[in-house]
Amino acid sequence: MSTPSARLPIIYVRGYAGGTPGIEKAVTDPFYGFNEGSTHIRVGRQDAPVFYQFESPLLRLHLDEGYHILVEGSQDKYLENHDTIPPDSIWIHRFYDRSAGNWGAGPERFDLETAAADLLVLIEKLQARTGAPRVHLVAHSMGGLICRCLLQKVIPEQRPGRRATDYVAKLFTYGTPHGGITFAVGFGVPEALRDMIGPNGADVFGPERMYRYLTPVARQARSGPPVGWRAVDMPDDDGTGSAEDAAGGFPLNRVFCLVGTDSADYEVAHGLSSAAVGPRSDGLVQIENAQVTGAHRAFAHRSHSGRYGLVNSEEGYQNLRRFLFGDLQVRADLVGMALPQDDPDVTWQGEVELKVRGLPVLMHERVAPHWCPIQLSDPPPNGRRDRTAPDGRDADRGGPGTDGAVRLATAFLSTSLPRPGAVPLRYALDLRVLSLREHKGFFGFGDHLERTADFADTLIVDVEATGPRPAAWAHWNSEISGTIKDLRPADEPPLPDEDPAAASWVSRVRLPSTTVPFLGEAARVRLTVGPWH
């Protein structure tokens, strides 16, 4: 039922480099950092480092997917001198070159809108030379804002009548401050000073400036961002309306945000940045600001950059590879919960880890020690929510008609990647449910057992996609006799498909009976498997 995704050109857009010295250092790298690897990985409860050699996303795309790296002295000259270029090729948007004095000419002042406009020129050049209908955009930090400026403002203004999807197939961002950069200290004063003075162009991370470059001029209010405007909300283009109606929008199901949760290993400014932004961040971008509302996302315990950075990580690469080239989308939601309401001081949290067979890293990890548990109580007793959708719903929750669904994880799989013999695709979902007592901002520890869950188990999911529709099996680890590797799901019938006429396969898995007293009789994990092209 699945077909491999078409090979399209990949354009990498790097992040913020700071002032002139930082820019001039950045442009000396021929691949703007996409070629950086790492030799460390954090493992274990104490986050002890061990040696692990990750070659870089650039090299891995070349080795694993056969992508070409075409330079021959100059990327721009290569494009000019070759009428035909293979579409499976990687390109760097060298937008900082014009702002550097390295090449003898006087540097121009960096302008984000100009960088976005230059990105459109590069895309059109690649479309003409490769014959590819679109490109994939891969961006780190501010690079994701350049991409969004392209999609939401530049294309509607400079190519009226065209959709953003006429140029871009998918957008993947590493640690992009989609909601800007805010600080956990200073009561808003540091942000106000940054936005007023704009040192080294850092005002691009403030709401006023973001509103200007994410909104077409014709739609901008003179007084600035209207009440309720949020940078994290990206207009969706579901493809049903006209190009004029869709101007400034992009399909949210084609956007993936990799969110970093390791603030401690961000070493810029000797750790001062991490201290100012706070622990609920990757050291520079707070967790709630690193996501586009309604887009796909994964959480990784990596920092914004550095030796434990997002871009130069196996976790980042595996999510990138499967998002770009996978052919199956799998999703897990917690539905039908009925949490106890007898004690208003008790709040409920979920923790989840997603693993794919054959990989040495977690694809997705939301746990309390990393400041990103899933808030199951609605609303949490302390009144705080994770970033909400435009209608006020919790970003982890589904919309109307979704049984109050709480999103646990979304991942992309590839039927073309090697497997250990003729076995289904397999992933595992570690699920933990914990309760905390909190009264007026103070935790109660009278009957508390630290890091002890009221429920903890692993759901092993096997997916077979060789027929016209996928089939899936699910087993709780606590109910498996023997080792997980010896589990052979094909010996039993697959889970029932709730609606065989729908585009995606859907089924609900009953939770172990031990959860009934606090999650209710109707609580289920809803599994969805569908094609991903």
Side-chain angles (χ1 to χ4, degrees), residues 149-212:
C149 178
L150 165 78
L151 300 172
Q152 296 177 230
K153 183 179 182 181
V154 170
I155 291 175
E157 291 185 343
Q158 299 189 11
R159 302 295 184 271
R162 304 294 301 275
R163 302 178 105 98
T165 51
D166 292 334
Y167 301 94
V168 178
K170 297 173 185 175
L171 169 63
F172 184 100
T173 65
Y174 299 94
T176 287
H178 292 287
I181 293 179
T182 53
F183 303 100
V185 297
F187 303 99
V189 174
E191 293 95 329
L193 290 174
R194 175 202 61 200
D195 298 346
M196 178 175 63
I197 301 171
N200 296 323
D203 58 329
V204 297
F205 303 117
E208 186 78 29
R209 185 79 176 86
M210 295 183 78
Y211 174 70
R212 298 298 178 189

Side-chain angles (χ1 to χ4, degrees), residues 330-348:
V330 297
R331 175 166 172 160
D333 299 286
L334 187 58
V335 301
M337 285 188 307
L339 294 169
Q341 302 295 320
D342 56 330
D343 190 341
D345 290 340
V346 173
T347 184
W348 294 85

Side-chain angles (χ1 to χ4, degrees), residues 11-304:
I11 300 177
Y12 176 68
V13 189
R14 68 154 289 145
Y16 178 73
T20 301
I23 291 173
E24 294 187 342
K25 180 181 178 181
V27 301
T28 62
D29 188 327
F31 299 106
Y32 268 32
F34 202 45
N35 54 321
E36 290 187 4
S38 60
T39 56
H40 282 72
I41 189 170
R42 289 290 197 191
V43 296
R45 290 188 178 275
Q46 301 302 319
D47 278 344
V50 298
F51 181 84
Y52 181 85
Q53 189 170 346
F54 174 68
E55 304 92 323
S56 80
L58 179 79
L59 186 55
R60 287 291 289 278
L61 287 169
H62 170 66
L63 295 173
D64 295 343
E65 298 293 336
Y67 263 66
H68 298 82
I69 304 170
L70 305 172
V71 179
E72 294 186 4
S74 167
Q75 174 181 273
D76 291 339
K77 290 182 179 178
Y78 190 98
L79 283 170
E80 292 174 4
N81 297 331
H82 293 77
D83 294 330
T84 303
I85 293 172
D88 50 347
S89 49
I90 301 172
W91 305 88
I92 308 301
H93 181 32
R94 297 188 59 89
F95 62 89
Y96 266 139
D97 285 8
R98 64 164 66 210
S99 301
N102 302 46
W103 326 125
E108 300 178 13
R109 183 177 181 275
F110 169 71
D111 178 72
L112 191 143
E113 286 99 325
T114 299
D118 289 345
L119 178 57
L120 177 58
V121 173
L122 175 59
I123 292 173
E124 291 181 324
K125 192 175 293 186
L126 286 171
Q127 287 177 312
R129 297 289 195 273
T130 66
R134 289 170 292 278
V135 304
H136 295 312
L137 296 179
V138 179
H140 175 233
S141 194
M142 184 190 71
L145 300 178
I146 293 174
C147 294
R148 285 186 58 190
C149 178
L150 165 78
L151 300 172
Q152 296 177 230
K153 183 179 182 181
V154 170
I155 291 175
E157 291 185 343
Q158 299 189 11
R159 302 295 184 271
R162 304 294 301 275
R163 302 178 105 98
T165 51
D166 292 334
Y167 301 94
V168 178
K170 297 173 185 175
L171 169 63
F172 184 100
T173 65
Y174 299 94
T176 287
H178 292 287
I181 293 179
T182 53
F183 303 100
V185 297
F187 303 99
V189 174
E191 293 95 329
L193 290 174
R194 175 202 61 200
D195 298 346
M196 178 175 63
I197 301 171
N200 296 323
D203 58 329
V204 297
F205 303 117
E208 186 78 29
R209 185 79 176 86
M210 295 183 78
Y211 174 70
R212 298 298 178 189
Y213 66 71
L214 293 177
T215 309
V217 172
R219 299 182 183 179
Q220 290 181 10
R222 291 185 179 180
S223 58
V227 175
W229 182 89
R230 303 185 315 165
V232 293
D233 299 332
M234 184 174 178
D236 191 13
D237 175 11
D238 61 7
T240 58
S242 66
E244 182 178 351
D245 294 335
F250 189 74
L252 295 178
N253 69 343
R254 299 193 196 179
V255 179
F256 191 108
C257 303
L258 188 66
V259 181
T261 63
D262 179 10
S263 63
D265 284 311
Y266 188 59
E267 299 172 343
V268 169
H270 305 287
L272 292 177
S273 168
S274 176
V277 174
R280 200 169 186 267
S281 71
D282 62 8
L284 181 63
V285 181
Q286 293 183 347
I287 289 173
E288 58 266 34
N289 288 333
Q291 315 163 48
V292 168
T293 307
H296 302 296
R297 60 184 179 172
F299 289 62
H301 192 52
R302 310 292 294 200
S303 61
H304 191 74

Side-chain angles (χ1 to χ4, degrees), residues 218-533:
R219 299 182 183 179
Q220 290 181 10
R222 291 185 179 180
S223 58
V227 175
W229 182 89
R230 303 185 315 165
V232 293
D233 299 332
M234 184 174 178
D236 191 13
D237 175 11
D238 61 7
T240 58
S242 66
E244 182 178 351
D245 294 335
F250 189 74
L252 295 178
N253 69 343
R254 299 193 196 179
V255 179
F256 191 108
C257 303
L258 188 66
V259 181
T261 63
D262 179 10
S263 63
D265 284 311
Y266 188 59
E267 299 172 343
V268 169
H270 305 287
L272 292 177
S273 168
S274 176
V277 174
R280 200 169 186 267
S281 71
D282 62 8
L284 181 63
V285 181
Q286 293 183 347
I287 289 173
E288 58 266 34
N289 288 333
Q291 315 163 48
V292 168
T293 307
H296 302 296
R297 60 184 179 172
F299 289 62
H301 192 52
R302 310 292 294 200
S303 61
H304 191 74
S305 61
R307 59 180 175 170
Y308 298 109
L310 287 165
V311 178
N312 51 312
S313 71
E314 188 77 45
E315 296 94 326
Y317 172 70
Q318 294 297 345
N319 275 291
L320 170 67
R321 184 185 188 190
R322 284 160 172 76
F323 177 68
L324 295 186
F325 309 119
D327 51 10
L328 286 176
Q329 178 184 342
V330 297
R331 175 166 172 160
D333 299 286
L334 187 58
V335 301
M337 285 188 307
L339 294 169
Q341 302 295 320
D342 56 330
D343 190 341
D345 290 340
V346 173
T347 184
W348 294 85
Q349 295 178 344
E351 295 185 336
V352 64
E353 295 177 350
L354 180 71
K355 306 134 182 205
V356 173
R357 176 160 53 188
L359 296 183
V361 294
L362 300 178
M363 296 290 285
H364 175 63
E365 183 180 18
R366 293 193 64 177
V367 294
H370 300 166
W371 296 80
C372 57
I374 301 170
Q375 300 296 339
L376 300 179
S377 300
D378 187 20
N382 63 2
R384 174 171 182 167
R385 290 176 179 268
D386 277 352
R387 179 182 50 78
T388 54
D391 59 4
R393 291 182 291 106
D394 192 303
D396 290 323
R397 297 186 178 276
T402 57
D403 305 318
V406 175
R407 182 183 358 180
L408 298 177
T410 301
F412 301 91
L413 305 177
S414 175
T415 58
S416 64
L417 295 180
R419 281 178 266 171
V423 297
L425 297 166
R426 173 172 288 176
Y427 69 93
L429 189 74
D430 282 5
L431 178 62
R432 293 160 53 85
V433 177
L434 306 95
S435 57
L436 296 170
R437 180 176 295 277
E438 182 183 354
H439 182 71
K440 295 183 178 180
F442 294 93
F443 286 107
F445 297 107
D447 56 0
H448 177 76
L449 293 171
E450 181 65 15
R451 300 292 299 141
T452 303
D454 295 285
F455 168 74
D457 210 334
T458 301
L459 188 64
I460 309 298
V461 182
D462 292 277
V463 179
E464 187 58 76
T466 55
R469 284 185 68 78
W473 298 258
H475 300 82
W476 290 105
N477 187 30
S478 60
E479 300 171 355
I480 296 174
S481 177
T483 64
I484 295 174
K485 68 180 179 62
D486 292 329
L487 177 65
R488 295 292 182 265
D491 296 338
E492 58 189 76
L495 293 168
D497 189 351
E498 289 187 1
D499 185 1
S504 297
W505 174 96
V506 179
S507 192
R508 303 180 190 221
V509 180
R510 182 185 296 272
L511 277 83
S513 60
T514 55
T515 64
V516 171
F518 51 90
L519 293 183
E521 288 275 1
R524 301 287 189 275
V525 173
R526 184 176 63 204
L527 302 176
T528 305
V529 182
W532 176 248
H533 301 296

